[in-house]
Amino acid sequence: MRDGGFEEGTACLRAKIDMASSFIVMRDPVLYRVRFAEHHQTADKWCIYPMYDFTHCISDALEGITHSICTLEFQDNRRLYDWVLDNITIDCQPRQYEFSRLNLEYTVMSKRKLNQLVVENLVEGWDDPRMPTISGLRRRGFTPASIREFCKRIGVTKQENMIEFGSLESCIRDDLNENAPRAMAVLDPVKIVIENYEEGKVENLSVANHPNKPEMGQRDVPFTREVYIERDDFREEANKKYKRLVLGKEVRLRGAYVIKAERIEKDAEGNITTIFCTYDDETLGKNPADGRKVKGVIHWVSADKALPAEVRLYDRLFTVANPAAADNFAETINPESLVKVNGFVEPSLAEAAAEAAFQFERTGYFCVDSKDSSNDKLVFNRTVGLRDTWAKIESK
């Protein structure tokens, strides 16, 4: 075999161990097979190559491995693992332990399937924030602490199972809720003009970086006559349950004043282009002097001072919980797993470091993209929303 006297597929080297064994792997396992292939290190020097079951244990022993961790499909192979080590001369004798593989909903964990996603350009690469790879999770904004907490919560078991994706999201929410500074960003802007505010005036309002952690300090947010709010934070008419801005009613801008919507302008298609408001100049940091109560609070950014940013709204990569069970898993890719929008962020984020995490108030948790973001073009990736919206979908 070593001299090349056999063609591929015509001969192999077996270890005749115990032909009566109830474990097939312990009867006559193949140790070497013929392969006329160029090796990346030894070129064509060899034409025989060892099988994985034979080299696995030897490689572990040579590297001084004490505990070899495998998934459940290798459980029967542990007998061959131990037999090889017992029948060669080597100082180290590792022990193999098996446990159930991690199966996570709405994604695939198979390296072959992940490779297919990359090779077929179904994702942008191994570090695509939708990929369950370390580089992908990191670029998405998942912290090491959140991944360790996830592993701690799910534990180790020998029972095959499927872990809810919401469990992973819960870990990063808990981490970022505690540690991420707050900022304001408007992703679908509509302009507000405060008609009784002095034109050209700029107030730098001091806003807390975290509502429950004064040690995280304050930041200055510029307030001007024209600001942007989220389009869905305004309605011409609404019931009492709607706590945002309504025509003819008041709402508070986060960390700023109480404003009242007076009138609106629309374009030819009927879309609202501008909301004209007035403000109460005595409501900065306090309630109205006459005792009236304003329950709603919405976020905003200055139209003059805010920075344009591309915001990538990442979601679950697949539309079904177990895509690996589909005949063609690629056909179950979620077409809305990445939605790009152009919004505005407050100026304090101008020089935010790559991978820095923030809670965009009332919107979700985001991080600075480590690959595409720059001072000239800010790019933020959504790590996770403030709430698990998929839980409602799955319960229907």
Side-chain angles (χ1 to χ4, degrees):
M1 286 176 63
R2 189 173 64 182
D3 293 335
F6 296 92
E7 296 181 2
E8 288 188 23
T10 60
C12 62
L13 178 65
R14 295 178 177 270
K16 191 173 182 179
I17 303 174
D18 179 7
M19 296 302 292
S21 175
S22 58
F23 295 94
I24 296 177
V25 72
M26 291 300 292
R27 294 181 183 178
D28 58 342
V30 176
L31 302 186
Y32 278 86
R33 82 286 200 197
V34 177
R35 283 294 306 277
F36 291 98
E38 184 172 340
H39 192 272
H40 67 284
Q41 289 182 327
T42 59
D44 57 357
K45 181 179 179 180
W46 297 94
C47 60
I48 58 170
Y49 289 91
M51 302 298 290
Y52 177 81
D53 282 342
F54 181 56
T55 58
H56 179 197
C57 54
I58 298 175
S59 296
D60 286 348
L62 290 174
E63 294 175 10
I65 301 296
T66 57
H67 299 73
S68 180
I69 310 298
C70 302
T71 44
L72 290 178
E73 63 264 31
F74 292 97
Q75 192 164 243
D76 290 349
N77 297 56
R78 174 163 29 96
R79 291 159 179 81
L80 179 57
Y81 185 101
D82 292 338
W83 182 88
V84 172
L85 292 177
D86 289 340
N87 286 273
I88 63 175
T89 303
I90 202 160
D91 293 334
C92 181
Q93 182 111 358
R95 294 280 299 176
Q96 178 176 302
Y97 297 86
E98 308 86 19
F99 61 95
S100 60
R101 62 175 292 165
L102 172 60
N103 295 309
L104 190 61
E105 287 183 344
Y106 296 99
T107 190
V108 289
M109 304 298 285
S110 160
K111 293 188 290 293
R112 179 177 59 81
K113 287 184 171 64
L114 292 174
N115 186 64
Q116 182 179 339
L117 291 174
V118 175
V119 171
E120 296 182 3
N121 295 316
L122 300 174
V123 295
E124 295 176 357
W126 288 98
D127 63 350
D128 187 300
R130 294 166 292 180
M131 293 280 277
T133 57
I134 293 297
S135 59
L137 290 171
R138 182 175 181 176
R139 190 175 169 197
R140 175 83 168 259
F142 282 83
T143 61
S146 68
I147 296 175
R148 288 195 295 267
E149 176 62 21
F150 174 65
C151 294
K152 180 180 177 181
R153 291 184 187 182
I154 64 174
V156 178
T157 176
K158 282 192 175 255
Q159 185 70 36
E160 290 286 357
N161 53 33
M162 181 72 75
I163 304 299
E164 293 182 359
F165 198 85
S167 299
L168 177 59
E169 292 179 325
S170 175
C171 292
I172 189 61
R173 277 196 195 94
D174 291 348
D175 184 5
L176 296 181
N177 179 55
E178 191 72 17
N179 299 304
R182 276 42 173 173
M184 290 191 286
V186 176
L187 308 188
D188 184 15
V190 62
K191 181 179 286 188
I192 280 183
V193 176
I194 305 173
E195 295 184 284
N196 62 334
Y197 193 87
E198 182 182 340
E199 193 166 355
K201 179 180 178 181
V202 179
E203 282 186 86
N204 286 314
L205 307 181
S206 185
V207 181
N209 287 326
H210 196 293
N212 303 318
K213 288 191 170 184
E215 65 272 17
M216 292 183 70
Q218 306 271 328
R219 69 190 188 280
D220 287 337
V221 179
F223 184 81
T224 55
R225 186 172 186 264
E226 296 183 357
V227 300
Y228 290 127
I229 66 169
E230 295 287 356
R231 188 168 293 276
D232 63 3
D233 276 344
F234 174 78
R235 290 183 185 176
E236 295 182 65
E237 297 178 358
N239 57 33
K240 292 183 178 180
K241 292 182 179 181
Y242 188 77
K243 302 299 182 184
R244 289 168 274 180
L245 186 60
V246 179
L247 192 61
K249 297 185 179 180
E250 293 180 314
V251 75
R252 179 178 290 279
L253 298 178
R254 173 78 75 190
Y257 299 95
V258 170
I259 62 171
K260 181 180 180 180
E262 305 288 355
R263 58 192 178 87
I264 59 174
E265 279 187 358
K266 296 182 179 181
D267 60 19
E269 288 74 37
N271 300 310
I272 296 174
T273 57
T274 309
I275 306 167
F276 294 92
C277 298
T278 56
Y279 86 114
D280 186 337
D281 63 355
E282 296 183 353
T283 55
L284 181 61
K286 54 186 177 182
N287 293 322
D290 61 5
R292 70 185 189 278
K293 294 184 178 180
V294 180
K295 295 182 179 180
V297 180
I298 62 175
H299 62 279
W300 56 276
V301 293
S302 165
D304 299 327
K305 303 296 183 180
L307 302 174
E310 179 182 298
V311 182
R312 298 172 179 175
L313 304 177
Y314 288 102
D315 207 337
R316 302 184 184 187
L317 184 54
F318 296 94
T319 57
V320 297
N322 186 13
D327 292 336
N328 183 356
F329 80 99
E331 293 180 352
T332 67
I333 288 179
N334 179 9
E336 297 183 353
S337 61
L338 170 58
V339 176
K340 297 180 181 180
V341 299
N342 294 312
F344 294 92
V345 299
E346 63 178 67
S348 67
L349 300 180
E351 297 181 358
E355 299 181 3
F358 300 91
Q359 183 197 102
F360 286 175
E361 297 204 32
R362 302 177 61 243
T363 303
Y365 295 99
F366 295 76
C367 73
V368 181
D369 186 79
S370 59
K371 195 171 183 179
D372 298 329
S373 188
S374 66
N375 291 337
D376 297 329
K377 180 186 177 183
L378 293 174
V379 178
F380 292 89
N381 298 331
R382 181 170 66 185
T383 305
V384 67
L386 293 178
R387 297 173 185 82
D388 185 0
T389 55
W390 281 77
K392 294 181 180 179
I393 297 173
E394 292 166 348
S395 64
K396 290 181 180 180

